[in-house]
Amino acid sequence: MDVREMRAGELPEVGELRVATYVGQGHVAPDSDYLAKLRTLGGDPGSLVLVAEDGGRLVGTITVQSYPHGGEVLRGPEESEIRALAVAPDAQRGGVGRGLLRAGVAAAALSGAGRLVLCTMPSMVGAQRMYAMAGFGRLYERDWEVRPGLRLLVYGLDLPAG
Protein backbone atom coordinates (compact mmCIF):
# COMPACT_ATOMS: atom_id res chain seq x y z
CA MET A 1 0.00 0.00 0.00
CA ASP A 2 1.23 3.47 -0.89
CA VAL A 3 -0.02 6.76 0.57
CA ARG A 4 0.26 9.73 -1.77
CA GLU A 5 -1.38 13.03 -2.63
CA MET A 6 -4.57 12.83 -4.62
CA ARG A 7 -3.95 13.43 -8.32
CA ALA A 8 -5.84 15.85 -10.54
CA GLY A 9 -9.07 14.25 -11.65
CA GLU A 10 -9.30 11.77 -8.77
CA LEU A 11 -11.68 13.78 -6.57
CA PRO A 12 -14.84 12.11 -7.95
CA GLU A 13 -13.43 8.64 -7.15
CA VAL A 14 -12.27 9.81 -3.71
CA GLY A 15 -15.69 11.31 -3.04
CA GLU A 16 -17.49 8.10 -3.97
CA LEU A 17 -15.11 6.09 -1.75
CA ARG A 18 -16.05 8.35 1.17
CA VAL A 19 -19.76 8.07 0.45
CA ALA A 20 -19.66 4.28 0.03
CA THR A 21 -17.77 3.92 3.32
CA TYR A 22 -19.86 6.30 5.43
CA VAL A 23 -23.21 5.07 4.05
CA GLY A 24 -22.16 1.42 3.94
CA GLN A 25 -21.20 1.43 7.61
CA GLY A 26 -24.41 3.19 8.61
CA HIS A 27 -22.75 6.41 9.78
CA VAL A 28 -24.58 8.59 7.25
CA ALA A 29 -28.03 8.06 5.73
CA PRO A 30 -28.20 7.49 1.96
CA ASP A 31 -30.25 10.68 1.58
CA SER A 32 -28.12 12.88 3.87
CA ASP A 33 -27.19 16.41 2.78
CA TYR A 34 -23.66 15.61 4.01
CA LEU A 35 -23.02 13.33 1.01
CA ALA A 36 -22.48 16.37 -1.23
CA LYS A 37 -19.73 17.56 1.14
CA LEU A 38 -18.13 14.10 1.20
CA ARG A 39 -18.02 14.10 -2.60
CA THR A 40 -16.35 17.52 -2.93
CA LEU A 41 -14.23 17.95 0.21
CA GLY A 42 -10.67 18.79 -0.70
CA GLY A 43 -11.37 20.51 -3.96
CA ASP A 44 -10.87 23.89 -2.31
CA PRO A 45 -7.89 25.94 -1.09
CA GLY A 46 -6.20 24.97 2.13
CA SER A 47 -6.84 21.25 1.63
CA LEU A 48 -4.48 18.35 1.19
CA VAL A 49 -6.17 15.11 0.16
CA LEU A 50 -4.12 11.97 0.66
CA VAL A 51 -5.08 8.58 -0.74
CA ALA A 52 -4.02 5.03 -0.01
CA GLU A 53 -3.50 2.99 -3.14
CA ASP A 54 -3.11 -0.76 -3.27
CA GLY A 55 -2.48 -2.49 -6.56
CA GLY A 56 -3.66 0.54 -8.53
CA ARG A 57 -6.93 0.78 -6.56
CA LEU A 58 -7.81 3.60 -4.16
CA VAL A 59 -8.60 1.95 -0.81
CA GLY A 60 -8.61 4.94 1.54
CA THR A 61 -8.42 8.68 1.91
CA ILE A 62 -7.88 11.42 4.47
CA THR A 63 -8.07 15.20 4.12
CA VAL A 64 -5.93 17.69 6.04
CA GLN A 65 -7.17 21.26 6.12
CA SER A 66 -5.50 24.32 7.54
CA TYR A 67 -7.10 27.33 9.19
CA PRO A 68 -9.31 29.06 8.09
CA HIS A 69 -10.30 26.53 5.42
CA GLY A 70 -11.32 23.69 7.71
CA GLY A 71 -14.46 22.95 9.64
CA GLU A 72 -16.08 24.39 12.70
CA VAL A 73 -13.57 23.10 15.25
CA LEU A 74 -10.51 24.99 14.03
CA ARG A 75 -9.71 27.84 16.41
CA GLY A 76 -6.75 29.60 14.84
CA PRO A 77 -3.81 29.54 12.43
CA GLU A 78 -1.82 27.22 14.70
CA GLU A 79 -4.30 24.40 14.04
CA SER A 80 -4.97 22.00 11.19
CA GLU A 81 -7.82 19.53 10.93
CA ILE A 82 -8.25 15.98 9.71
CA ARG A 83 -11.50 15.35 7.86
CA ALA A 84 -13.23 12.53 6.02
CA LEU A 85 -10.98 9.60 6.87
CA ALA A 86 -12.44 6.70 4.93
CA VAL A 87 -11.20 3.19 4.20
CA ALA A 88 -12.96 0.89 1.74
CA PRO A 89 -14.81 -1.79 3.72
CA ASP A 90 -12.84 -4.65 2.15
CA ALA A 91 -9.55 -2.93 3.08
CA GLN A 92 -10.35 -2.25 6.73
CA ARG A 93 -8.36 -3.77 9.58
CA GLY A 94 -5.29 -4.01 7.38
CA GLY A 95 -3.46 -0.87 8.50
CA VAL A 96 -4.80 1.47 5.81
CA GLY A 97 -6.45 3.81 8.30
CA ARG A 98 -3.38 3.89 10.54
CA GLY A 99 -1.15 4.62 7.55
CA LEU A 100 -3.38 7.45 6.39
CA LEU A 101 -3.57 8.89 9.90
CA ARG A 102 0.25 8.83 10.25
CA ALA A 103 0.58 10.57 6.87
CA GLY A 104 -2.01 13.18 7.87
CA VAL A 105 -0.21 13.88 11.15
CA ALA A 106 3.11 14.21 9.31
CA ALA A 107 1.60 16.58 6.73
CA ALA A 108 0.09 18.79 9.43
CA ALA A 109 3.42 18.90 11.29
CA LEU A 110 5.27 19.82 8.08
CA SER A 111 2.82 22.64 7.47
CA GLY A 112 3.81 24.16 10.81
CA ALA A 113 0.61 23.40 12.69
CA GLY A 114 1.00 23.16 16.45
CA ARG A 115 -2.14 21.11 16.96
CA LEU A 116 -4.16 18.73 14.83
CA VAL A 117 -7.87 18.36 15.56
CA LEU A 118 -10.64 16.16 14.20
CA CYS A 119 -14.31 15.41 14.65
CA THR A 120 -15.82 11.95 14.77
CA MET A 121 -19.29 10.55 15.19
CA PRO A 122 -20.13 8.64 18.36
CA SER A 123 -20.83 5.57 16.19
CA MET A 124 -17.25 5.51 14.84
CA VAL A 125 -15.87 3.52 17.76
CA GLY A 126 -13.08 1.82 15.79
CA ALA A 127 -11.80 5.17 14.54
CA GLN A 128 -11.89 6.55 18.08
CA ARG A 129 -9.69 3.68 19.28
CA MET A 130 -7.26 4.35 16.44
CA TYR A 131 -7.11 8.06 17.30
CA ALA A 132 -6.45 7.30 20.97
CA MET A 133 -3.71 4.82 20.07
CA ALA A 134 -2.10 7.52 17.89
CA GLY A 135 -1.97 9.90 20.86
CA PHE A 136 -5.07 12.00 20.21
CA GLY A 137 -6.96 13.09 23.32
CA ARG A 138 -10.57 14.12 23.71
CA LEU A 139 -11.36 17.82 23.63
CA TYR A 140 -14.75 17.62 25.33
CA GLU A 141 -15.21 21.38 25.42
CA ARG A 142 -15.16 21.46 21.60
CA ASP A 143 -17.79 18.79 21.00
CA TRP A 144 -20.59 20.30 18.95
CA GLU A 145 -24.00 19.51 17.60
CA VAL A 146 -24.31 19.49 13.82
CA ARG A 147 -28.06 19.24 14.11
CA PRO A 148 -30.37 18.21 16.93
CA GLY A 149 -29.46 14.68 17.90
CA LEU A 150 -26.11 14.53 16.08
CA ARG A 151 -23.24 15.52 18.34
CA LEU A 152 -19.68 15.27 17.02
CA LEU A 153 -16.81 14.33 19.32
CA VAL A 154 -13.60 16.33 18.98
CA TYR A 155 -10.07 14.97 19.44
CA GLY A 156 -6.76 16.81 19.36
CA LEU A 157 -3.06 16.06 19.10
CA ASP A 158 -0.32 18.53 19.99
CA LEU A 159 2.39 18.43 17.32
CA PRO A 160 6.10 18.90 17.92
CA ALA A 161 7.45 22.37 17.29
CA GLY A 162 9.76 22.98 14.44
Side-chain angles (χ1 to χ4, degrees), residues 46-72:
S47 296
L48 171 66
V49 179
L50 301 172
V51 296
E53 186 176 42
D54 189 17
R57 178 176 162 246
L58 296 186
V59 294
T61 183
I62 192 170
T63 301
V64 181
Q65 292 185 312
S66 58
Y67 181 86
H69 306 286
E72 290 77 1

Side-chain angles (χ1 to χ4, degrees), residues 125-141:
V125 177
Q128 293 165 31
R129 277 194 302 269
M130 181 179 65
Y131 300 141
M133 288 173 47
F136 283 80
R138 286 282 283 114
L139 301 175
Y140 295 96
E141 70 282 2

Side-chain angles (χ1 to χ4, degrees), residues 6-151:
M6 177 181 70
R7 295 182 184 127
E10 286 183 322
L11 186 57
E13 184 178 358
V14 167
E16 290 309 316
L17 170 64
R18 292 175 185 147
V19 167
T21 301
Y22 280 56
V23 170
Q25 293 181 328
H27 300 301
V28 177
D31 61 350
S32 171
D33 293 342
Y34 188 57
L35 299 184
K37 185 65 167 177
L38 286 173
R39 286 185 172 103
T40 61
L41 184 69
D44 48 359
S47 296
L48 171 66
V49 179
L50 301 172
V51 296
E53 186 176 42
D54 189 17
R57 178 176 162 246
L58 296 186
V59 294
T61 183
I62 192 170
T63 301
V64 181
Q65 292 185 312
S66 58
Y67 181 86
H69 306 286
E72 290 77 1
V73 296
L74 284 178
R75 296 274 170 88
E78 72 284 353
E79 293 186 340
S80 288
E81 180 181 12
I82 285 178
R83 298 186 68 183
L85 173 61
V87 176
D90 64 339
Q92 292 179 3
R93 300 195 184 283
V96 175
R98 288 187 305 275
L100 285 164
L101 184 59
R102 277 192 304 272
V105 169
L110 279 174
S111 77
R115 177 181 268 183
L116 186 58
V117 296
L118 62 89
C119 294
T120 187
M121 299 170 128
S123 61
M124 297 177 169
V125 177
Q128 293 165 31
R129 277 194 302 269
M130 181 179 65
Y131 300 141
M133 288 173 47
F136 283 80
R138 286 282 283 114
L139 301 175
Y140 295 96
E141 70 282 2
R142 291 202 192 179
D143 289 358
W144 64 287
E145 203 167 70
V146 177
R147 59 176 163 70
L150 178 55
R151 185 162 199 77

